[in-house]
Amino acid sequence: GEIKNYCRAVHEAVKKQMNPKAIEQAEKFYREIQSKYSSPAARGNGAISCYLTNLTLQSIYIMGRVCSEEAFDANNINNYAALLTNHGVEQGAIPMLMYLRSKYDKNPIVLSNIALAWMGLGELKTAEKYADSCIRYFPGHSHQAQYVKSIVEESNGNRQGAVSQLQQSIGQVYSAEK
């Protein structure tokens, strides 16, 4: 119940910052998704579908709504936290991610998302701690964590270390940003 209330509070805070037209559109999408799919997982997938079609605000709104109503789906909570992190609401994402970490201690996706959220807040030492954990537990499957390590190394003036970490990250998953 506590995580559900937290998700609801974040959703309401984010909603206050959103464009009313985006909210209206998101509500329309949500009603359509809800009428077709009873499962929270399916509704969460509907939110991600919005994200994949560049309806970012609508995606955040819908995922927040899904998690506010039924916060037992770990994948939805993780995706909501990732969406928030990707759009500058890291402070809202971290408690969700820490909740997930308490349930899934060594999950590489959760660990790397925590690292990304802390990096977004400028807390590079904390970000590095979670990135290191992810890399240690899941070498070869920690591209986001290595990206975080690259940023940390660069901030410490270690250009070669940054390049090395970024090369490892790109070797696992390429992105134009990297």
Side-chain angles (χ1 to χ4, degrees):
E2 193 173 316
I3 192 68
K4 181 178 174 179
N5 290 336
Y6 181 78
C7 288
R8 184 177 296 121
V10 170
H11 174 66
E12 290 301 321
V14 169
K15 183 177 165 182
K16 288 178 184 175
Q17 301 301 313
M18 287 180 66
N19 174 324
K21 185 173 177 151
I23 292 172
E24 183 180 322
Q25 189 177 31
E27 272 295 325
K28 179 182 174 202
F29 291 153
Y30 183 78
R31 285 190 301 275
E32 289 175 21
I33 293 166
Q34 191 176 36
S35 73
K36 292 179 184 176
Y37 306 103
S38 61
S39 108
R43 291 196 305 270
N45 288 340
I48 295 303
S49 294
C50 285
Y51 184 77
L52 295 173
T53 58
N54 292 322
L55 296 170
T56 305
L57 294 177
Q58 293 84 347
S59 176
I60 292 169
Y61 181 91
I62 293 167
M63 191 64 82
R65 180 98 187 263
V66 170
C67 290
S68 294
E69 293 172 359
E70 300 176 53
F72 60 84
D73 187 300
N75 192 48
N76 283 345
I77 295 169
N78 183 65
N79 285 334
Y80 188 35
L83 289 168
L84 293 170
T85 296
N86 288 339
H87 293 88
V89 192
E90 295 91 343
Q91 71 278 11
I94 288 174
M96 292 177 209
L97 293 166
M98 297 310 287
Y99 164 78
L100 292 173
R101 183 169 183 251
S102 74
K103 295 177 85 60
Y104 310 100
D105 184 40
K106 295 179 182 174
N107 182 292
I109 296 167
V110 172
L111 289 170
S112 62
N113 282 345
I114 293 170
L116 286 167
W118 282 115
M119 183 182 78
L121 289 173
E123 296 290 335
L124 297 183
K125 290 246 183 256
T126 306
E128 183 177 32
K129 177 179 102 173
Y130 287 101
D132 285 342
S133 291
C134 184
I135 293 165
R136 181 174 49 255
Y137 297 132
F138 302 96
H141 302 285
S142 53
H143 66 94
Q144 285 185 315
Q146 287 174 311
Y147 172 70
V148 170
K149 287 285 292 184
S150 165
I151 300 300
V152 170
E153 292 294 337
E154 185 178 41
S155 76
N156 290 335
N158 182 358
R159 183 169 169 72
Q160 186 53 44
V163 168
S164 175
Q165 288 293 330
L166 195 54
Q167 286 173 333
Q168 289 179 55
S169 179
I170 290 170
Q172 291 176 32
V173 176
Y174 171 81
S175 76
E177 180 184 346
K178 291 176 192 173

